PDB file of all heavy atoms in Angstrom:
ATOM      1  N   ASP A  23     -33.778 -21.541 -42.984  1.00 95.00           N
ATOM      2  CA  ASP A  23     -32.985 -20.879 -41.955  1.00 95.00           C
ATOM      3  C   ASP A  23     -33.902 -20.337 -40.857  1.00 95.00           C
ATOM      4  O   ASP A  23     -34.840 -19.585 -41.136  1.00 95.00           O
ATOM      5  CB  ASP A  23     -32.174 -19.732 -42.553  1.00 95.00           C
ATOM      6  CG  ASP A  23     -31.100 -20.218 -43.512  1.00 95.00           C
ATOM      7  OD1 ASP A  23     -30.605 -21.353 -43.318  1.00 95.00           O
ATOM      8  OD2 ASP A  23     -30.748 -19.480 -44.448  1.00 95.00           O
ATOM      9  N   LEU A  24     -33.617 -20.727 -39.630  1.00 96.00           N
ATOM     10  CA  LEU A  24     -34.321 -20.223 -38.451  1.00 96.00           C
ATOM     11  C   LEU A  24     -33.444 -19.103 -37.910  1.00 96.00           C
ATOM     12  O   LEU A  24     -32.421 -19.355 -37.272  1.00 96.00           O
ATOM     13  CB  LEU A  24     -34.526 -21.330 -37.420  1.00 96.00           C
ATOM     14  CG  LEU A  24     -35.050 -22.675 -37.975  1.00 96.00           C
ATOM     15  CD1 LEU A  24     -35.230 -23.679 -36.854  1.00 96.00           C
ATOM     16  CD2 LEU A  24     -36.345 -22.484 -38.749  1.00 96.00           C
ATOM     17  N   THR A  25     -33.804 -17.875 -38.191  1.00 94.00           N
ATOM     18  CA  THR A  25     -32.889 -16.743 -38.075  1.00 94.00           C
ATOM     19  C   THR A  25     -33.046 -15.960 -36.767  1.00 94.00           C
ATOM     20  O   THR A  25     -33.945 -16.211 -35.969  1.00 94.00           O
ATOM     21  CB  THR A  25     -33.100 -15.791 -39.260  1.00 94.00           C
ATOM     22  OG1 THR A  25     -34.470 -15.360 -39.283  1.00 94.00           O
ATOM     23  CG2 THR A  25     -32.788 -16.483 -40.575  1.00 94.00           C
ATOM     24  N   GLY A  26     -32.135 -14.996 -36.589  1.00 93.00           N
ATOM     25  CA  GLY A  26     -32.209 -14.079 -35.460  1.00 93.00           C
ATOM     26  C   GLY A  26     -31.753 -14.659 -34.141  1.00 93.00           C
ATOM     27  O   GLY A  26     -32.149 -14.177 -33.076  1.00 93.00           O
ATOM     28  N   ALA A  27     -30.892 -15.682 -34.165  1.00 95.00           N
ATOM     29  CA  ALA A  27     -30.450 -16.326 -32.929  1.00 95.00           C
ATOM     30  C   ALA A  27     -29.149 -15.696 -32.426  1.00 95.00           C
ATOM     31  O   ALA A  27     -28.156 -15.659 -33.153  1.00 95.00           O
ATOM     32  CB  ALA A  27     -30.245 -17.820 -33.164  1.00 95.00           C
ATOM     33  N   PRO A  28     -29.118 -15.201 -31.182  1.00 97.00           N
ATOM     34  CA  PRO A  28     -27.903 -14.607 -30.642  1.00 97.00           C
ATOM     35  C   PRO A  28     -26.895 -15.667 -30.204  1.00 97.00           C
ATOM     36  O   PRO A  28     -27.238 -16.844 -30.035  1.00 97.00           O
ATOM     37  CB  PRO A  28     -28.413 -13.818 -29.434  1.00 97.00           C
ATOM     38  CG  PRO A  28     -29.606 -14.599 -28.972  1.00 97.00           C
ATOM     39  CD  PRO A  28     -30.239 -15.132 -30.232  1.00 97.00           C
ATOM     40  N   ASP A  29     -25.676 -15.241 -30.000  1.00 97.00           N
ATOM     41  CA  ASP A  29     -24.628 -16.139 -29.538  1.00 97.00           C
ATOM     42  C   ASP A  29     -25.029 -16.783 -28.212  1.00 97.00           C
ATOM     43  O   ASP A  29     -25.496 -16.116 -27.287  1.00 97.00           O
ATOM     44  CB  ASP A  29     -23.326 -15.354 -29.347  1.00 97.00           C
ATOM     45  CG  ASP A  29     -22.162 -16.264 -28.987  1.00 97.00           C
ATOM     46  OD1 ASP A  29     -21.983 -17.289 -29.654  1.00 97.00           O
ATOM     47  OD2 ASP A  29     -21.429 -15.945 -28.021  1.00 97.00           O
ATOM     48  N   GLY A  30     -24.880 -18.080 -28.145  1.00 98.00           N
ATOM     49  CA  GLY A  30     -25.149 -18.802 -26.910  1.00 98.00           C
ATOM     50  C   GLY A  30     -26.584 -19.229 -26.704  1.00 98.00           C
ATOM     51  O   GLY A  30     -26.892 -19.875 -25.691  1.00 98.00           O
ATOM     52  N   ALA A  31     -27.483 -18.895 -27.634  1.00 98.00           N
ATOM     53  CA  ALA A  31     -28.871 -19.336 -27.494  1.00 98.00           C
ATOM     54  C   ALA A  31     -28.929 -20.866 -27.463  1.00 98.00           C
ATOM     55  O   ALA A  31     -28.218 -21.543 -28.208  1.00 98.00           O
ATOM     56  CB  ALA A  31     -29.721 -18.800 -28.639  1.00 98.00           C
ATOM     57  N   THR A  32     -29.770 -21.397 -26.606  1.00 98.00           N
ATOM     58  CA  THR A  32     -29.885 -22.847 -26.464  1.00 98.00           C
ATOM     59  C   THR A  32     -30.589 -23.456 -27.669  1.00 98.00           C
ATOM     60  O   THR A  32     -31.572 -22.918 -28.167  1.00 98.00           O
ATOM     61  CB  THR A  32     -30.675 -23.204 -25.188  1.00 98.00           C
ATOM     62  OG1 THR A  32     -30.063 -22.565 -24.070  1.00 98.00           O
ATOM     63  CG2 THR A  32     -30.703 -24.704 -24.961  1.00 98.00           C
ATOM     64  N   ILE A  33     -30.073 -24.590 -28.130  1.00 98.00           N
ATOM     65  CA  ILE A  33     -30.679 -25.355 -29.222  1.00 98.00           C
ATOM     66  C   ILE A  33     -31.222 -26.652 -28.629  1.00 98.00           C
ATOM     67  O   ILE A  33     -30.490 -27.361 -27.919  1.00 98.00           O
ATOM     68  CB  ILE A  33     -29.646 -25.690 -30.317  1.00 98.00           C
ATOM     69  CG1 ILE A  33     -28.963 -24.425 -30.820  1.00 98.00           C
ATOM     70  CG2 ILE A  33     -30.310 -26.445 -31.470  1.00 98.00           C
ATOM     71  CD1 ILE A  33     -27.671 -24.695 -31.570  1.00 98.00           C
ATOM     72  N   VAL A  34     -32.488 -26.957 -28.901  1.00 98.00           N
ATOM     73  CA  VAL A  34     -33.097 -28.171 -28.352  1.00 98.00           C
ATOM     74  C   VAL A  34     -33.550 -29.108 -29.464  1.00 98.00           C
ATOM     75  O   VAL A  34     -33.716 -28.704 -30.618  1.00 98.00           O
ATOM     76  CB  VAL A  34     -34.290 -27.827 -27.426  1.00 98.00           C
ATOM     77  CG1 VAL A  34     -33.861 -26.878 -26.319  1.00 98.00           C
ATOM     78  CG2 VAL A  34     -35.461 -27.261 -28.224  1.00 98.00           C
ATOM     79  N   ALA A  35     -33.766 -30.353 -29.100  1.00 98.00           N
ATOM     80  CA  ALA A  35     -34.250 -31.356 -30.055  1.00 98.00           C
ATOM     81  C   ALA A  35     -35.705 -31.078 -30.403  1.00 98.00           C
ATOM     82  O   ALA A  35     -36.538 -30.918 -29.511  1.00 98.00           O
ATOM     83  CB  ALA A  35     -34.119 -32.752 -29.458  1.00 98.00           C
ATOM     84  N   PRO A  36     -36.044 -31.027 -31.704  1.00 98.00           N
ATOM     85  CA  PRO A  36     -37.439 -30.785 -32.093  1.00 98.00           C
ATOM     86  C   PRO A  36     -38.394 -31.908 -31.711  1.00 98.00           C
ATOM     87  O   PRO A  36     -39.586 -31.673 -31.555  1.00 98.00           O
ATOM     88  CB  PRO A  36     -37.359 -30.639 -33.614  1.00 98.00           C
ATOM     89  CG  PRO A  36     -35.949 -30.228 -33.885  1.00 98.00           C
ATOM     90  CD  PRO A  36     -35.139 -30.984 -32.862  1.00 98.00           C
ATOM     91  N   GLU A  37     -37.864 -33.129 -31.592  1.00 98.00           N
ATOM     92  CA  GLU A  37     -38.701 -34.253 -31.199  1.00 98.00           C
ATOM     93  C   GLU A  37     -37.821 -35.375 -30.679  1.00 98.00           C
ATOM     94  O   GLU A  37     -36.587 -35.300 -30.745  1.00 98.00           O
ATOM     95  CB  GLU A  37     -39.596 -34.719 -32.349  1.00 98.00           C
ATOM     96  CG  GLU A  37     -38.906 -35.022 -33.652  1.00 98.00           C
ATOM     97  CD  GLU A  37     -39.893 -35.543 -34.714  1.00 98.00           C
ATOM     98  OE1 GLU A  37     -40.420 -36.659 -34.520  1.00 98.00           O
ATOM     99  OE2 GLU A  37     -40.132 -34.841 -35.708  1.00 98.00           O
ATOM    100  N   ASP A  38     -38.435 -36.420 -30.136  1.00 98.00           N
ATOM    101  CA  ASP A  38     -37.688 -37.570 -29.627  1.00 98.00           C
ATOM    102  C   ASP A  38     -36.867 -38.178 -30.771  1.00 98.00           C
ATOM    103  O   ASP A  38     -37.397 -38.401 -31.871  1.00 98.00           O
ATOM    104  CB  ASP A  38     -38.640 -38.633 -29.083  1.00 98.00           C
ATOM    105  CG  ASP A  38     -39.415 -38.168 -27.853  1.00 98.00           C
ATOM    106  OD1 ASP A  38     -39.156 -37.054 -27.370  1.00 98.00           O
ATOM    107  OD2 ASP A  38     -40.277 -38.939 -27.394  1.00 98.00           O
ATOM    108  N   ALA A  39     -35.594 -38.456 -30.492  1.00 98.00           N
ATOM    109  CA  ALA A  39     -34.711 -38.883 -31.575  1.00 98.00           C
ATOM    110  C   ALA A  39     -33.468 -39.572 -31.032  1.00 98.00           C
ATOM    111  O   ALA A  39     -33.182 -39.528 -29.828  1.00 98.00           O
ATOM    112  CB  ALA A  39     -34.293 -37.669 -32.406  1.00 98.00           C
ATOM    113  N   THR A  40     -32.718 -40.161 -31.957  1.00 98.00           N
ATOM    114  CA  THR A  40     -31.384 -40.685 -31.684  1.00 98.00           C
ATOM    115  C   THR A  40     -30.370 -39.754 -32.331  1.00 98.00           C
ATOM    116  O   THR A  40     -30.549 -39.353 -33.488  1.00 98.00           O
ATOM    117  CB  THR A  40     -31.219 -42.108 -32.246  1.00 98.00           C
ATOM    118  OG1 THR A  40     -32.191 -42.963 -31.649  1.00 98.00           O
ATOM    119  CG2 THR A  40     -29.823 -42.648 -31.969  1.00 98.00           C
ATOM    120  N   VAL A  41     -29.319 -39.424 -31.602  1.00 98.00           N
ATOM    121  CA  VAL A  41     -28.266 -38.559 -32.140  1.00 98.00           C
ATOM    122  C   VAL A  41     -27.363 -39.408 -33.042  1.00 98.00           C
ATOM    123  O   VAL A  41     -26.670 -40.312 -32.575  1.00 98.00           O
ATOM    124  CB  VAL A  41     -27.440 -37.914 -31.009  1.00 98.00           C
ATOM    125  CG1 VAL A  41     -26.332 -37.032 -31.592  1.00 98.00           C
ATOM    126  CG2 VAL A  41     -28.336 -37.102 -30.087  1.00 98.00           C
ATOM    127  N   ILE A  42     -27.379 -39.113 -34.334  1.00 98.00           N
ATOM    128  CA  ILE A  42     -26.550 -39.842 -35.296  1.00 98.00           C
ATOM    129  C   ILE A  42     -25.175 -39.187 -35.420  1.00 98.00           C
ATOM    130  O   ILE A  42     -24.164 -39.859 -35.623  1.00 98.00           O
ATOM    131  CB  ILE A  42     -27.250 -39.895 -36.673  1.00 98.00           C
ATOM    132  CG1 ILE A  42     -28.620 -40.560 -36.543  1.00 98.00           C
ATOM    133  CG2 ILE A  42     -26.392 -40.621 -37.701  1.00 98.00           C
ATOM    134  CD1 ILE A  42     -28.584 -41.960 -35.957  1.00 98.00           C
ATOM    135  N   GLY A  43     -25.139 -37.874 -35.288  1.00 98.00           N
ATOM    136  CA  GLY A  43     -23.871 -37.152 -35.328  1.00 98.00           C
ATOM    137  C   GLY A  43     -24.006 -35.857 -34.538  1.00 98.00           C
ATOM    138  O   GLY A  43     -25.079 -35.245 -34.516  1.00 98.00           O
ATOM    139  N   ILE A  44     -22.916 -35.447 -33.900  1.00 98.00           N
ATOM    140  CA  ILE A  44     -22.934 -34.208 -33.121  1.00 98.00           C
ATOM    141  C   ILE A  44     -21.567 -33.539 -33.265  1.00 98.00           C
ATOM    142  O   ILE A  44     -20.544 -34.216 -33.382  1.00 98.00           O
ATOM    143  CB  ILE A  44     -23.278 -34.484 -31.630  1.00 98.00           C
ATOM    144  CG1 ILE A  44     -23.631 -33.193 -30.883  1.00 98.00           C
ATOM    145  CG2 ILE A  44     -22.182 -35.261 -30.941  1.00 98.00           C
ATOM    146  CD1 ILE A  44     -24.995 -32.644 -31.147  1.00 98.00           C
ATOM    147  N   ASP A  45     -21.564 -32.210 -33.296  1.00 98.00           N
ATOM    148  CA  ASP A  45     -20.338 -31.433 -33.474  1.00 98.00           C
ATOM    149  C   ASP A  45     -19.662 -31.774 -34.808  1.00 98.00           C
ATOM    150  O   ASP A  45     -18.439 -31.790 -34.915  1.00 98.00           O
ATOM    151  CB  ASP A  45     -19.370 -31.656 -32.306  1.00 98.00           C
ATOM    152  CG  ASP A  45     -18.448 -30.460 -32.069  1.00 98.00           C
ATOM    153  OD1 ASP A  45     -18.945 -29.311 -32.113  1.00 98.00           O
ATOM    154  OD2 ASP A  45     -17.242 -30.670 -31.845  1.00 98.00           O
ATOM    155  N   ARG A  46     -20.477 -32.019 -35.818  1.00 98.00           N
ATOM    156  CA  ARG A  46     -19.973 -32.291 -37.165  1.00 98.00           C
ATOM    157  C   ARG A  46     -19.655 -30.989 -37.893  1.00 98.00           C
ATOM    158  O   ARG A  46     -20.272 -29.963 -37.641  1.00 98.00           O
ATOM    159  CB  ARG A  46     -21.011 -33.079 -37.977  1.00 98.00           C
ATOM    160  CG  ARG A  46     -21.320 -34.458 -37.428  1.00 98.00           C
ATOM    161  CD  ARG A  46     -20.223 -35.455 -37.742  1.00 98.00           C
ATOM    162  NE  ARG A  46     -20.604 -36.809 -37.401  1.00 98.00           N
ATOM    163  CZ  ARG A  46     -21.226 -37.656 -38.224  1.00 98.00           C
ATOM    164  NH1 ARG A  46     -21.563 -37.258 -39.439  1.00 98.00           N
ATOM    165  NH2 ARG A  46     -21.524 -38.870 -37.834  1.00 98.00           N
ATOM    166  N   GLY A  47     -18.721 -31.038 -38.826  1.00 96.00           N
ATOM    167  CA  GLY A  47     -18.352 -29.855 -39.588  1.00 96.00           C
ATOM    168  C   GLY A  47     -19.544 -29.259 -40.323  1.00 96.00           C
ATOM    169  O   GLY A  47     -20.371 -29.983 -40.873  1.00 96.00           O
ATOM    170  N   TRP A  48     -19.631 -27.913 -40.317  1.00 97.00           N
ATOM    171  CA  TRP A  48     -20.748 -27.259 -40.971  1.00 97.00           C
ATOM    172  C   TRP A  48     -20.252 -26.074 -41.780  1.00 97.00           C
ATOM    173  O   TRP A  48     -19.442 -26.228 -42.686  1.00 97.00           O
ATOM    174  CB  TRP A  48     -21.831 -26.882 -39.953  1.00 97.00           C
ATOM    175  CG  TRP A  48     -23.127 -26.437 -40.565  1.00 97.00           C
ATOM    176  CD1 TRP A  48     -23.703 -25.215 -40.486  1.00 97.00           C
ATOM    177  CD2 TRP A  48     -23.998 -27.233 -41.396  1.00 97.00           C
ATOM    178  NE1 TRP A  48     -24.881 -25.179 -41.204  1.00 97.00           N
ATOM    179  CE2 TRP A  48     -25.084 -26.412 -41.767  1.00 97.00           C
ATOM    180  CE3 TRP A  48     -23.957 -28.547 -41.850  1.00 97.00           C
ATOM    181  CZ2 TRP A  48     -26.121 -26.868 -42.574  1.00 97.00           C
ATOM    182  CZ3 TRP A  48     -24.992 -28.993 -42.651  1.00 97.00           C
ATOM    183  CH2 TRP A  48     -26.062 -28.161 -43.005  1.00 97.00           C
ATOM    184  N   SER A  49     -20.695 -24.858 -41.472  1.00 93.00           N
ATOM    185  CA  SER A  49     -20.389 -23.688 -42.281  1.00 93.00           C
ATOM    186  C   SER A  49     -19.939 -22.528 -41.403  1.00 93.00           C
ATOM    187  O   SER A  49     -20.451 -22.355 -40.288  1.00 93.00           O
ATOM    188  CB  SER A  49     -21.642 -23.291 -43.080  1.00 93.00           C
ATOM    189  OG  SER A  49     -21.449 -22.105 -43.807  1.00 93.00           O
ATOM    190  N   GLU A  50     -18.998 -21.735 -41.901  1.00 94.00           N
ATOM    191  CA  GLU A  50     -18.552 -20.510 -41.232  1.00 94.00           C
ATOM    192  C   GLU A  50     -18.133 -20.761 -39.795  1.00 94.00           C
ATOM    193  O   GLU A  50     -18.405 -19.971 -38.888  1.00 94.00           O
ATOM    194  CB  GLU A  50     -19.649 -19.436 -41.298  1.00 94.00           C
ATOM    195  CG  GLU A  50     -20.037 -19.067 -42.725  1.00 94.00           C
ATOM    196  CD  GLU A  50     -21.219 -18.117 -42.777  1.00 94.00           C
ATOM    197  OE1 GLU A  50     -21.339 -17.259 -41.888  1.00 94.00           O
ATOM    198  OE2 GLU A  50     -22.014 -18.244 -43.720  1.00 94.00           O
ATOM    199  N   GLY A  51     -17.444 -21.874 -39.572  1.00 96.00           N
ATOM    200  CA  GLY A  51     -16.925 -22.185 -38.252  1.00 96.00           C
ATOM    201  C   GLY A  51     -17.916 -22.841 -37.318  1.00 96.00           C
ATOM    202  O   GLY A  51     -17.570 -23.192 -36.182  1.00 96.00           O
ATOM    203  N   SER A  52     -19.157 -23.020 -37.759  1.00 98.00           N
ATOM    204  CA  SER A  52     -20.168 -23.643 -36.904  1.00 98.00           C
ATOM    205  C   SER A  52     -20.167 -25.161 -37.082  1.00 98.00           C
ATOM    206  O   SER A  52     -19.491 -25.703 -37.957  1.00 98.00           O
ATOM    207  CB  SER A  52     -21.555 -23.076 -37.216  1.00 98.00           C
ATOM    208  OG  SER A  52     -21.973 -23.464 -38.513  1.00 98.00           O
ATOM    209  N   LYS A  53     -20.953 -25.827 -36.260  1.00 98.00           N
ATOM    210  CA  LYS A  53     -21.067 -27.282 -36.295  1.00 98.00           C
ATOM    211  C   LYS A  53     -22.524 -27.694 -36.470  1.00 98.00           C
ATOM    212  O   LYS A  53     -23.434 -26.865 -36.382  1.00 98.00           O
ATOM    213  CB  LYS A  53     -20.509 -27.885 -34.999  1.00 98.00           C
ATOM    214  CG  LYS A  53     -19.039 -27.582 -34.755  1.00 98.00           C
ATOM    215  CD  LYS A  53     -18.137 -28.255 -35.770  1.00 98.00           C
ATOM    216  CE  LYS A  53     -16.670 -28.020 -35.460  1.00 98.00           C
ATOM    217  NZ  LYS A  53     -15.775 -28.749 -36.411  1.00 98.00           N
ATOM    218  N   ALA A  54     -22.735 -28.981 -36.709  1.00 98.00           N
ATOM    219  CA  ALA A  54     -24.083 -29.486 -36.958  1.00 98.00           C
ATOM    220  C   ALA A  54     -24.383 -30.706 -36.108  1.00 98.00           C
ATOM    221  O   ALA A  54     -23.478 -31.430 -35.668  1.00 98.00           O
ATOM    222  CB  ALA A  54     -24.251 -29.841 -38.430  1.00 98.00           C
ATOM    223  N   ALA A  55     -25.680 -30.932 -35.882  1.00 98.00           N
ATOM    224  CA  ALA A  55     -26.176 -32.154 -35.257  1.00 98.00           C
ATOM    225  C   ALA A  55     -27.060 -32.877 -36.261  1.00 98.00           C
ATOM    226  O   ALA A  55     -27.823 -32.247 -36.997  1.00 98.00           O
ATOM    227  CB  ALA A  55     -26.960 -31.830 -33.990  1.00 98.00           C
ATOM    228  N   PHE A  56     -26.960 -34.210 -36.283  1.00 98.00           N
ATOM    229  CA  PHE A  56     -27.799 -35.050 -37.124  1.00 98.00           C
ATOM    230  C   PHE A  56     -28.646 -35.931 -36.202  1.00 98.00           C
ATOM    231  O   PHE A  56     -28.109 -36.640 -35.352  1.00 98.00           O
ATOM    232  CB  PHE A  56     -26.959 -35.939 -38.036  1.00 98.00           C
ATOM    233  CG  PHE A  56     -26.028 -35.192 -38.955  1.00 98.00           C
ATOM    234  CD1 PHE A  56     -24.802 -35.757 -39.317  1.00 98.00           C
ATOM    235  CD2 PHE A  56     -26.355 -33.945 -39.450  1.00 98.00           C
ATOM    236  CE1 PHE A  56     -23.949 -35.081 -40.172  1.00 98.00           C
ATOM    237  CE2 PHE A  56     -25.494 -33.259 -40.309  1.00 98.00           C
ATOM    238  CZ  PHE A  56     -24.287 -33.831 -40.666  1.00 98.00           C
ATOM    239  N   LEU A  57     -29.962 -35.879 -36.379  1.00 98.00           N
ATOM    240  CA  LEU A  57     -30.880 -36.637 -35.540  1.00 98.00           C
ATOM    241  C   LEU A  57     -31.764 -37.537 -36.385  1.00 98.00           C
ATOM    242  O   LEU A  57     -32.280 -37.110 -37.424  1.00 98.00           O
ATOM    243  CB  LEU A  57     -31.779 -35.685 -34.739  1.00 98.00           C
ATOM    244  CG  LEU A  57     -31.121 -34.593 -33.902  1.00 98.00           C
ATOM    245  CD1 LEU A  57     -32.197 -33.725 -33.248  1.00 98.00           C
ATOM    246  CD2 LEU A  57     -30.212 -35.189 -32.849  1.00 98.00           C
ATOM    247  N   ARG A  58     -31.980 -38.761 -35.928  1.00 98.00           N
ATOM    248  CA  ARG A  58     -32.964 -39.653 -36.540  1.00 98.00           C
ATOM    249  C   ARG A  58     -34.139 -39.734 -35.577  1.00 98.00           C
ATOM    250  O   ARG A  58     -34.020 -40.268 -34.477  1.00 98.00           O
ATOM    251  CB  ARG A  58     -32.377 -41.042 -36.807  1.00 98.00           C
ATOM    252  CG  ARG A  58     -33.359 -41.988 -37.495  1.00 98.00           C
ATOM    253  CD  ARG A  58     -32.715 -43.295 -37.917  1.00 98.00           C
ATOM    254  NE  ARG A  58     -31.762 -43.075 -38.997  1.00 98.00           N
ATOM    255  CZ  ARG A  58     -30.484 -43.468 -38.961  1.00 98.00           C
ATOM    256  NH1 ARG A  58     -30.012 -44.077 -37.903  1.00 98.00           N
ATOM    257  NH2 ARG A  58     -29.701 -43.237 -40.002  1.00 98.00           N
ATOM    258  N   THR A  59     -35.277 -39.197 -36.002  1.00 98.00           N
ATOM    259  CA  THR A  59     -36.411 -39.114 -35.088  1.00 98.00           C
ATOM    260  C   THR A  59     -37.166 -40.434 -35.003  1.00 98.00           C
ATOM    261  O   THR A  59     -37.101 -41.273 -35.910  1.00 98.00           O
ATOM    262  CB  THR A  59     -37.389 -38.006 -35.518  1.00 98.00           C
ATOM    263  OG1 THR A  59     -38.120 -38.449 -36.675  1.00 98.00           O
ATOM    264  CG2 THR A  59     -36.661 -36.706 -35.844  1.00 98.00           C
ATOM    265  N   ASN A  60     -37.910 -40.581 -33.927  1.00 98.00           N
ATOM    266  CA  ASN A  60     -38.729 -41.782 -33.752  1.00 98.00           C
ATOM    267  C   ASN A  60     -39.865 -41.849 -34.757  1.00 98.00           C
ATOM    268  O   ASN A  60     -40.492 -42.889 -34.926  1.00 98.00           O
ATOM    269  CB  ASN A  60     -39.301 -41.824 -32.330  1.00 98.00           C
ATOM    270  CG  ASN A  60     -38.220 -41.998 -31.274  1.00 98.00           C
ATOM    271  OD1 ASN A  60     -37.034 -42.124 -31.589  1.00 98.00           O
ATOM    272  ND2 ASN A  60     -38.620 -41.993 -30.012  1.00 98.00           N
ATOM    273  N   THR A  61     -40.147 -40.712 -35.428  1.00 98.00           N
ATOM    274  CA  THR A  61     -41.223 -40.658 -36.417  1.00 98.00           C
ATOM    275  C   THR A  61     -40.725 -40.883 -37.848  1.00 98.00           C
ATOM    276  O   THR A  61     -41.500 -40.779 -38.788  1.00 98.00           O
ATOM    277  CB  THR A  61     -41.931 -39.296 -36.349  1.00 98.00           C
ATOM    278  OG1 THR A  61     -40.969 -38.256 -36.602  1.00 98.00           O
ATOM    279  CG2 THR A  61     -42.575 -39.076 -34.991  1.00 98.00           C
ATOM    280  N   GLY A  62     -39.414 -41.156 -38.014  1.00 98.00           N
ATOM    281  CA  GLY A  62     -38.912 -41.493 -39.335  1.00 98.00           C
ATOM    282  C   GLY A  62     -38.303 -40.363 -40.133  1.00 98.00           C
ATOM    283  O   GLY A  62     -38.114 -40.491 -41.345  1.00 98.00           O
ATOM    284  N   LEU A  63     -37.959 -39.253 -39.468  1.00 98.00           N
ATOM    285  CA  LEU A  63     -37.265 -38.163 -40.145  1.00 98.00           C
ATOM    286  C   LEU A  63     -35.778 -38.188 -39.805  1.00 98.00           C
ATOM    287  O   LEU A  63     -35.379 -38.638 -38.732  1.00 98.00           O
ATOM    288  CB  LEU A  63     -37.826 -36.802 -39.724  1.00 98.00           C
ATOM    289  CG  LEU A  63     -39.236 -36.424 -40.148  1.00 98.00           C
ATOM    290  CD1 LEU A  63     -39.567 -35.036 -39.622  1.00 98.00           C
ATOM    291  CD2 LEU A  63     -39.385 -36.476 -41.661  1.00 98.00           C
ATOM    292  N   PHE A  64     -34.979 -37.668 -40.722  1.00 98.00           N
ATOM    293  CA  PHE A  64     -33.579 -37.381 -40.449  1.00 98.00           C
ATOM    294  C   PHE A  64     -33.459 -35.868 -40.452  1.00 98.00           C
ATOM    295  O   PHE A  64     -33.733 -35.210 -41.461  1.00 98.00           O
ATOM    296  CB  PHE A  64     -32.674 -37.987 -41.525  1.00 98.00           C
ATOM    297  CG  PHE A  64     -31.206 -37.826 -41.234  1.00 98.00           C
ATOM    298  CD1 PHE A  64     -30.545 -38.735 -40.424  1.00 98.00           C
ATOM    299  CD2 PHE A  64     -30.491 -36.759 -41.755  1.00 98.00           C
ATOM    300  CE1 PHE A  64     -29.197 -38.578 -40.135  1.00 98.00           C
ATOM    301  CE2 PHE A  64     -29.145 -36.599 -41.488  1.00 98.00           C
ATOM    302  CZ  PHE A  64     -28.494 -37.510 -40.676  1.00 98.00           C
ATOM    303  N   LEU A  65     -33.105 -35.288 -39.290  1.00 98.00           N
ATOM    304  CA  LEU A  65     -33.022 -33.841 -39.140  1.00 98.00           C
ATOM    305  C   LEU A  65     -31.572 -33.382 -39.121  1.00 98.00           C
ATOM    306  O   LEU A  65     -30.726 -33.992 -38.468  1.00 98.00           O
ATOM    307  CB  LEU A  65     -33.684 -33.396 -37.832  1.00 98.00           C
ATOM    308  CG  LEU A  65     -35.142 -33.772 -37.601  1.00 98.00           C
ATOM    309  CD1 LEU A  65     -35.603 -33.224 -36.249  1.00 98.00           C
ATOM    310  CD2 LEU A  65     -36.025 -33.250 -38.722  1.00 98.00           C
ATOM    311  N   VAL A  66     -31.311 -32.301 -39.833  1.00 98.00           N
ATOM    312  CA  VAL A  66     -30.011 -31.638 -39.809  1.00 98.00           C
ATOM    313  C   VAL A  66     -30.215 -30.270 -39.175  1.00 98.00           C
ATOM    314  O   VAL A  66     -31.059 -29.491 -39.617  1.00 98.00           O
ATOM    315  CB  VAL A  66     -29.442 -31.476 -41.236  1.00 98.00           C
ATOM    316  CG1 VAL A  66     -28.128 -30.700 -41.210  1.00 98.00           C
ATOM    317  CG2 VAL A  66     -29.256 -32.833 -41.890  1.00 98.00           C
TER     318      VAL A  66
END
């Protein structure tokens, strides 16, 4: 958990990637992004 983020804080891509999913169901009313990076990681 990357904590202490206020409402509306900008979220950026950690590295160059392809968006596999965006605005996917997550937890407590929030959503998730799924990224496949050019370096071979799948990030949630």
Side-chain angles (χ1 to χ4, degrees):
D23 293 331
L24 314 181
T25 58
D29 185 48
T32 306
I33 305 163
V34 304
E37 53 177 293
D38 294 356
T40 301
V41 179
I42 302 303
I44 194 77
D45 208 43
R46 296 284 189 89
W48 191 245
S49 175
E50 300 174 35
S52 67
K53 299 293 184 177
F56 301 148
L57 307 177
R58 182 173 292 126
T59 74
N60 294 358
T61 59
L63 292 180
F64 185 85
L65 303 180
V66 176

